[in-house]
């Protein structure tokens, strides 16, 4: 049984394990104040080409989202998210648990536009309603789409004009940045958002996300929030060492490119067999629509999520590739699909 | 510069790294539903000799404390802790951030007794005050002392009579259990408390704590709380694999014994040089009192915390040993101290 | 300028003022432990025909909703509400501020049915999502509709089967109970819900809501929650005296009947002039649709809310009547409307 | 049985009832946007002699404290209070329920000094601890003492230097301002604190506190917080009308003066009978120490709190006077005490 269920089925890239081994018995300071973590932060600043940004390393996406959003907002302020946004759907009310409403906006393709936000603002006009203050976007989105530079510029400009914080969830940012259709650089994102994070867990790390805070007024005392929410690892080095390895050369991007290449292979071939897709996705998650009978057959050899019912006879499924996805497995899947299709 | 600053200066025990390596490319389920994690939970149940307990793996002590306590309490209920208790002093108000007051009680040796709790109950009598509901103890305490079986039985009995939840923070539980003065077994603790955790981070793991929920009524839906607070790692296997390795034989206890042995060596020799200690500590943290001049000299070659001022000329320091502490370093420290003392 | 803007424009029914005057200089206990408040609670139990219920008096609707819902839920549990529900739209995220998500369900007429709840349950299936636990309904709803006995029985039965708490917001309960189309008694509501409140503020009191907790397991320590959220008035008598006066005879119902009678008068005549309504409302809030030109003219002499845009030329408005609405004012409004209509 | 138990045993000053009657049937806007409330705010600005302050009317002390403090603080910030401070002892963890720790400091006379605060700051030095940000003082304190102008100036200056918010709980501010030993004016308090409130409930109002926000950066969006916490009364007029009446002439101060006069009468005569007091209190709460036998006798005719055990045979009691305390009752009490004393 080969899994296309997600991009966190395997452990970590071997280079990261090696880096952990090599540094293992060195004595360093705790709580992310060790030299590995400091170097990793410096390295990321270079990659992002900005020095006046703050970098913090956290353990996972939900943790990063909830600490960041609760640190940025006052009690009456709310986040705006797409109705597919991870914080709205799959984080067990973690934002609400910190006291903040998530205002959801109906979208088609996982992406928010200024018009969506404008409509949310229009419905929140006085003190009987929460005050929308932060815009949460994911890139790639939860349905695989990615933001173009123009789209992000428009969002950024709208947020600035309306005094809104723009925050990008980059759990799969590697895949977005390495998509063939991407025209955004890390440095663009840092200029256009107030904060974003670079996901490690879903791109080859054992675990870990690198939060980048770009806007000065949001930086103060961030480590207090991390500690208060249980996110300051005693052996913080574990996070620093991983990001150092991922970014000391092109590893982070190489891993994402492999994941994307595997997704491209799946997409191209599935398309050529005549199947449609639920969403337009140029990243490492794709959502083809198959007859239920074929899905059942595929499930005998492959694990993946059945995503949504299309009609009585067919459903969309989610296929996810990663840095560790084997080309042989992809080819075997395609071959099996081909046979089932004929 | 050799560090006696804490027990999380190094990475992880090499056997744990090996276990991570060996399992690394296997595809398993996410979020702690993989077979490693399930096996680790089963193994712990055997070690604890109870089957009707729930085991959850979390990333660190503050995270474990805040999720456990907030999951157990209703909004108006409070925790009682010693004034030295970690949740009261060094977790950035994490319990309060979940809405609950921590009632602190002045203690001498880090340990709570039924009398302490009785006094706290006596001051909280109606709805104008919070309702004390959970008793938080650490074993060993933050000042190195440990609970005897008799003491824990008395606490347990008092809590049962007064309908209080008894929760033990076991960040350094290995060191307590392996102390020469200890008469508690894991199975005793599971019978006498409503929940406790077995600390991994400070006893050789890369990171990780194993929470044990003993009382049935506290078990329901615990994974929801973990997810909501950002504690459900996508690659949850990382925690399961570590605890499996720590407990598949005596590794966990062997590591703690080494830490204790190193502390014993320090304690015995420091004592024999005529120094006093701030607290009576039979575990891996000791608090000798040295002249400030000697402290300054020691700091040239060793790092450790200066804990508290004793008088104008002397202070207590905290020396912490771990599974990784080298006997040579301990001997060198003692030799240097001896020379400074003469 | 006469106001049909809401049902809290005037002060309080004169009989309530008299009751305050008569009791004014008596010394009584504070925080709702005075004999007036105790008598009011006993009286309500008689009116509701149940003795095993708990009654608490609070100051307003948002306060009652937030304290009740946060007292009833554990941290990971959520409330389900209609997308028109007051807690979802107009209480400034007060429920989220206590840590709980409000799951909104799209409805047509302000009312929730078992099917709506079933669909919400179907989308919340594991620990990556909040756990729906409480169903919030308003009677009358925010758009004036009311629940029939059959509808409430179906909801109640569904909630019991699915282990959900059913909570009714009765900010305007008087108007629902006195509607010509109502077939529910207070005693029915107490048997069919787990908790509900009887609104005073919008039915003649100076301020005040009477919360009724029907389900035993929800009663414990409720006063702690009231105090913690700032709802335990030092001079709690003020609430008790008001509810004693409202329920010692038929005053509460007489006031609601007058409000409904005024709404009936408006509705019947507006209908007979050929106008349509946005919603079917048999209570004291009605939502007729007028041409914008007529609305502008009416606004010269009357204040009311313009509710929603219907098309380029017409909008729905909200007309609210109360115990204090003058029949002359209603007639004048109708006459003016008639003139504008011709 | 005459009560000296507290200053909220009676209803409200008759002039306030009259004001409610006179305005009762006027239609005005809801939620504190009516002309009475606006006038009351303007009037208070005149009395305070400052125009750049914001005034909000709330229902009670706990409500005011919790909304103000939670609106002012970021999640990791804490309040410092005397260990006798109301928010630390008698508000059911309301501040913690909003997520913030209250750091208590041991004091003798209910008052905080810069040294107390300095010591609290000294123990909170990094992100492993909360960040002290707001200093909470009560004037008069919970044990009857009052702050002198010099003391408040020192506190104010210390807080400014250390970037701390200074907030004064004025639940009984009238009594402090009208104490013979007071040298503070309302305008001084507004200049020396960042926010404070003028208590109505304990000085003749039916209920109500007037919060004054002095510091510009703390003013933004305050009404959102009020609404979110259930404090925005639909009939907000009730609060405005009361404060308008209390401050349109000297009523507020006259009521406080009467309370103080009654306390002075008690204090002077109790002192002259040879009794000691637990605290030095020049306000309307006094704490004489009586033999337990005399206390028991007094309790047959008077109700009051037994405050604390002094020794086996004697205790301190709390006697509270108010605007409504009858001179005859005071004299009767003194006569009875005299007879019991002989």
């Amino acid at each position: 049984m080969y899994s296309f269920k997600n991009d966190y089925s395997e452990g970590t890239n071997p280079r990261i394990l090696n880096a952990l081994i090599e540094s293992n018995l060195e004595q360093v300071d705790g709580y992310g104040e060790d030299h590995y973590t400091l170097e990793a932060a410096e390295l990321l600043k270079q990659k992002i080409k900005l020095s006046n940004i703050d970098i913090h390393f956290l353990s996972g996406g939900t943790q990063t989202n909830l600490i960041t959003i609760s640190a940025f907002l006052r009690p009456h302020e709310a986040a705006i998210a797409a109705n597919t946004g991870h914080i709205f759907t799959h984080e067990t009310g973690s934002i609400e648990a910190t006291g903040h409403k998530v205002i959801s906006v109906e979208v088609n393709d996982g992406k928010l536009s200024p018009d969506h936000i404008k409509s949310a603002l229009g419905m929140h006009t006085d003190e009987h309603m929460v005050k929308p203050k932060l815009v949460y976007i994911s890139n790639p989105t939860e349905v695989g789409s990615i933001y173009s530079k123009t789209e992000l510029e428009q969002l950024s400009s709208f947020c600035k004009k309306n005094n809104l914080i723009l925050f990008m969830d980059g759990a799969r940012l590697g895949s977005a940045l390495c998509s063939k259709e991407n025209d955004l650089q890390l440095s663009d994102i840092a200029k256009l958002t107030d904060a974003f994070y670079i996901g490690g867990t879903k791109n080859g790390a054992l675990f870990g996300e690198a939060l980048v805070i770009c806007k000065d007024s949001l930086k103060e005392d961030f480590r207090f929030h991390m500690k208060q929410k249980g996110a300051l690892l005693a052996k913080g080095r574990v996070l620093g060492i991983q990001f150092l390895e991922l970014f000391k050369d092109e590893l982070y991007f190489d891993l994402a490119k492999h994941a994307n290449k595997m997704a491209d292979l799946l997409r191209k071939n599935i398309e050529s067999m005549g199947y449609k897709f639920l969403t337009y996705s140029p990243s490492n998650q794709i959502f083809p629509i198959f007859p239920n009978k074929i899905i059942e057959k595929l499930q005998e050899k492959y694990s993946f999520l059945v995503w949504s019912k299309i009609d009585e006879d067919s459903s969309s499924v989610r296929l996810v590739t990663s840095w560790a996805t084997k080309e042989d497995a992809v080819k075997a899947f395609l071959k099996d699909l081909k046979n089932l299709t004929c």
Side-chain angles (χ1 to χ4, degrees), chain A:
Chain A
M1 182 78 76
Y2 196 83
S3 174
F4 294 104
K5 225 164 139 180
N6 55 53
D7 30 18
Y8 42 84
S9 294
E10 287 87 1
T12 183
N13 184 266
R15 273 186 50 191
I16 286 177
L17 272 178
N18 283 337
L20 289 173
I21 292 166
E22 278 166 26
S23 61
N24 192 44
L25 290 179
E26 186 184 344
Q27 288 190 319
V28 299
D29 280 339
Y31 299 110
E33 299 186 310
D34 62 283
H35 69 91
Y36 292 108
T37 303
L38 299 178
E39 283 168 39
E42 280 313 305
L43 184 58
L44 278 173
K45 290 181 188 182
Q46 289 168 29
K47 296 275 172 179
I48 296 169
K49 296 176 189 151
L50 282 173
S51 56
N52 61 338
I53 51 176
D54 277 7
I55 313 278
H56 300 280
F57 299 101
L58 296 107
S59 298
T62 300
Q63 185 182 79
T64 306
N65 287 333
L66 82 89
I67 295 175
T68 304
I69 293 175
S70 69
F72 289 177
L73 297 183
R74 293 182 64 204
H76 65 302
E77 295 174 341
I80 297 174
N83 63 331
T84 48
H86 211 250
I87 57 167
F88 187 68
T89 59
H90 282 90
E91 301 190 354
T92 319
S94 64
I95 304 304
E96 290 87 351
T98 67
H100 302 283
K101 187 174 185 125
V102 179
I103 300 166
S104 76
V105 182
E106 195 86 15
V107 301
N108 289 322
D109 57 355
K111 291 198 273 183
L112 280 182
S113 70
D115 278 350
H116 291 127
I117 305 170
K118 204 181 291 178
S119 112
L121 295 183
M123 293 190 304
H124 293 83
T125 53
D126 67 32
E127 68 265 25
H128 294 264
M129 286 152 278
V130 291
K131 184 173 178 176
K133 181 69 184 173
L134 180 144
V135 172
Y136 166 93
I137 57 174
S138 310
N139 190 29
T141 69
E142 293 74 8
V143 294
S145 52
I146 66 170
Y147 284 88
S148 70
K149 191 169 176 183
T150 304
E151 287 169 337
L152 192 61
E153 282 169 346
Q154 286 166 346
L155 274 177
S156 181
S157 159
F158 182 86
C159 287
K160 276 196 179 63
K161 263 180 215 143
N162 289 279
N163 202 19
L164 296 167
I165 298 164
L166 182 57
F167 173 57
M168 181 188 283
D169 178 330
R172 296 186 169 94
L173 190 57
S175 179
L177 294 178
C178 296
S179 167
K180 283 175 183 162
E181 306 198 3
N182 175 62
D183 60 357
L184 277 168
Q185 304 292 316
L186 273 179
S187 56
D188 298 323
I189 296 175
K191 278 172 207 146
L192 295 172
T193 68
D194 296 304
F196 69 102
Y197 77 85
I198 302 170
T201 306
K202 290 170 179 167
N203 195 32
L206 204 53
F207 66 100
E209 324 294 317
L211 173 69
V212 182
I213 308 182
C214 313
K215 189 177 186 173
D216 276 347
S217 61
L218 301 175
K219 293 172 184 169
E220 194 185 4
D221 291 341
F222 195 80
R223 280 171 59 83
F224 284 79
H225 300 275
M226 290 174 64
K227 175 67 187 175
Q228 188 183 67
K229 299 293 191 288
L232 218 51
L233 291 184
K235 297 179 180 171
R237 65 198 283 159
V238 182
L239 292 164
I241 289 165
Q242 292 185 79
F243 275 90
L244 203 48
E245 192 63 29
L246 284 168
F247 281 94
K248 79 179 181 194
D249 48 25
E250 293 294 302
L251 180 59
Y252 185 80
F253 300 100
D254 290 345
L255 297 178
K257 276 175 196 161
H258 176 79
N260 283 356
K261 193 178 150 199
M262 294 301 101
D264 290 348
L265 193 58
L266 282 170
R267 189 188 312 103
K268 200 184 69 183
N269 283 283
I270 291 170
E271 212 165 18
S272 75
M273 294 180 213
Y275 294 111
K276 303 278 178 214
F277 292 78
L278 181 70
T279 67
Y280 181 76
S281 163
S283 65
N284 75 321
Q285 296 192 94
I286 60 172
F287 300 80
I289 297 168
F290 295 139
N292 293 338
K293 284 186 181 169
I294 288 184
I295 291 173
E296 278 161 37
K297 283 285 177 190
L298 288 170
Q299 284 175 323
E300 289 168 12
K301 293 172 72 177
Y302 306 96
S303 67
F304 50 81
L305 287 188
V306 178
W307 191 255
S308 63
K309 182 180 167 173
I310 300 298
D311 55 36
E312 284 311 307
D313 300 319
S314 63
S315 305
S316 69
V317 305
R318 185 181 77 158
L319 302 178
V320 191
T321 58
S322 82
W323 68 276
T325 301
K326 292 181 182 154
E327 189 159 348
D328 283 354
V330 169
K331 286 183 176 163
F333 179 91
L334 288 170
K335 191 175 163 194
D336 286 330
L337 177 62
K338 184 94 186 174
N339 290 338
L340 290 164
T341 304
C342 299

